[in-house]
Amino acid sequence: MQRRIVSIWFPRLATNRALRYCPVEGPFVVSQRLNNTDFIQCLNPAAERAGLSRGMTLADARAFCPPLVSTPADRAGERRLLRALRRWALRYCPWVGLEEPEGLVLDITGSAHLAGGEGRLLSDMRERLCGTGFDLRMGLADTRGAAWALAHYGEGLAAPGNTLAALADLPVAALRISEEHSVSLQRLGLGRIGALAGAPGAPLARRFGPELLDLLDRALGQQPEAVNPLAEPPHFGVRLTLPEPIGRTEDVMAGLCRLLDRLCDKLRGQEAGARELRLTLRRVDGNAAHVDLRLAAAMRDAERIQPLFTRGVEGVDAGFGIDQLRLEATLVEPLPLQQMGERTAATDRLNALVTRIGARIGLENVLCFRPVDSHIPERSFALVPFTEAPPMQEPWPEPPRPRPLILFPPEPILASGSTPPETFRWRGLRLTTGRATGPERIAPEWWVEDENWRSGVRDYWRVETREGRRLWLFHTPQAPGWFVQGIFP
């Protein structure tokens, strides 16, 4: 059977994607920053008609076309869209690969007749893609290289076994060679593929290297070039269909136990853990109830996960009965295998506790402290959600000097001089200094705007009073004043 390859090129993939979310009438471009300069990466037909082109600086384009609308490039979003298009193209054949950054390649060998022939297959592709707002060009040939050349330089269809005739009038750049080699070949009078194919190979190999002839042989089918489809990502979902409807919480939990065992086996095989789970309970009337569970950390232990579903399952209305259970891990994270120990068990217990609390008040409301690299006392820690906190690889760093257990906004006291006062009043108490340790000078971070530190450096003292209070005082030399900011245990 003759091999047949389709190449699909989306020359305006970036602008098509952007305009799907925010339609714009008139000139529109997608820009990319390179060496602190914005260049046009992609543009719509209206921008081309206005005289703009790819590679032009955005500043020049705006001067040339004042009503121009632009948006920054989103490479990650474009890659996601291209992969979504690849999944869509699986309707035509099982072998679909990527021609990044703006194309797809399909091996339709043995599949074209299912769509009524090659012509109808290409027409159906074009109609569906153009109907959803995509600009595209397609090529069909016996080889991957020839299909790519037709899509980019001469959109059309090469008859089976007639590859060279279809490519003969195309420029040598259609062989995917470098621009430097393309210019050199044109100077030699070999600007077309037909002329290049008829030239002696040995002199070309000596001058341009073997890669030029390899690309030519691949395009003409003298060397194989495979279409490598992307492996489908693993699907972490399991289902249980029941012969008789159930309605009791105990029965639902028993079915969930069986589903969790199967799901955790899948996760373990991929060295992954679930962060978000969804249990779907289908009732006999066709409606479905959903129980969502967010975990504090990636987990794949069925015994620990199952009790966390209890509260959600108890609140489900079973109606006339539930005849199907479906469990899916909607968010999965890597979870490599590791040696079990006391520390790992303690971490798992903590994650399970946080998950139970988060199921009641929301995981985003469970907060924890994390150290921050700063000498400023009130900036040496951060309060972040437990699920977003990076794991503590080392113990909490020790400060250069002892820090108070209780820290609060500075409270002024009446005192003068650069050393702690012998007596002072604070919060209605008259205190007497027994021993003072210091000073520890802390300078403000000039790159951070903070109204509390506009007075400049602070000289901190650890003061033990005769009344038993152990306070943290500081003095501001630039604007003389004394303040209390913390209490030692």
Side-chain angles (χ1 to χ4, degrees), residues 54-76:
R54 291 194 182 199
M56 179 183 292
T57 63
L58 189 59
D60 292 343
R62 291 191 182 281
F64 193 76
C65 181
L68 178 66
V69 178
S70 67
T71 186
D74 183 2
R75 289 294 191 184

Side-chain angles (χ1 to χ4, degrees), residues 466-479:
R466 298 184 184 277
E467 290 76 14
R469 299 277 184 172
R470 305 173 68 190
L471 305 177
W472 207 34
L473 280 65
F474 70 84
H475 175 250
T476 54
Q478 291 83 352

Side-chain angles (χ1 to χ4, degrees), residues 2 56 66 213 218 311-312 412 415 424 468 486:
Q2 182 65 47
M56 179 183 292
L213 296 181
R218 291 175 188 174
R311 186 167 179 267
F424 58 94

Side-chain angles (χ1 to χ4, degrees), residues 130-154:
C130 291
T132 53
F134 288 100
D135 294 289
L136 70 148
R137 298 176 63 180
M138 294 191 294
L140 172 61
D142 296 341
T143 66
R144 181 174 180 175
W148 189 94
L150 290 172
H152 286 74
Y153 289 89

Side-chain angles (χ1 to χ4, degrees), residues 4 6 92 108-126 138 140 157 160:
R4 300 294 279 170
V6 174
Y92 297 102
I108 62 169
T109 306
S111 302
H113 70 281
L114 299 175
E118 295 177 351
R120 289 191 177 183
L121 185 144
L122 295 182
S123 298
D124 186 66
M125 283 186 185
R126 185 182 300 278
M138 294 191 294
L140 172 61
L157 183 151

Side-chain angles (χ1 to χ4, degrees), residues 219-298:
L220 299 180
Q222 298 174 7
Q223 286 191 21
E225 186 175 9
V227 175
N228 299 318
L230 293 182
E232 291 296 326
H235 177 65
F236 298 105
V238 291
R239 182 174 56 187
L240 176 63
T241 302
L242 305 171
E244 295 290 339
I246 61 175
R248 298 171 62 242
T249 300
E250 295 80 0
D251 296 336
V252 175
M253 294 300 293
L256 174 63
C257 179
R258 297 174 61 181
L259 292 178
L260 275 172
D261 289 338
R262 292 161 52 192
L263 179 61
C264 290
D265 287 341
K266 284 187 176 183
L267 292 170
R268 196 172 295 107
Q270 297 292 329
E271 293 194 14
R275 280 296 299 271
E276 295 182 6
L277 295 161
R278 164 166 283 197
L279 175 63
T280 303
L281 306 175
R282 192 186 69 181
R283 298 195 292 256
V284 294
D285 60 1
N287 296 322
H290 302 285
V291 180
D292 293 319
L293 177 65
R294 296 174 59 197
L295 302 174

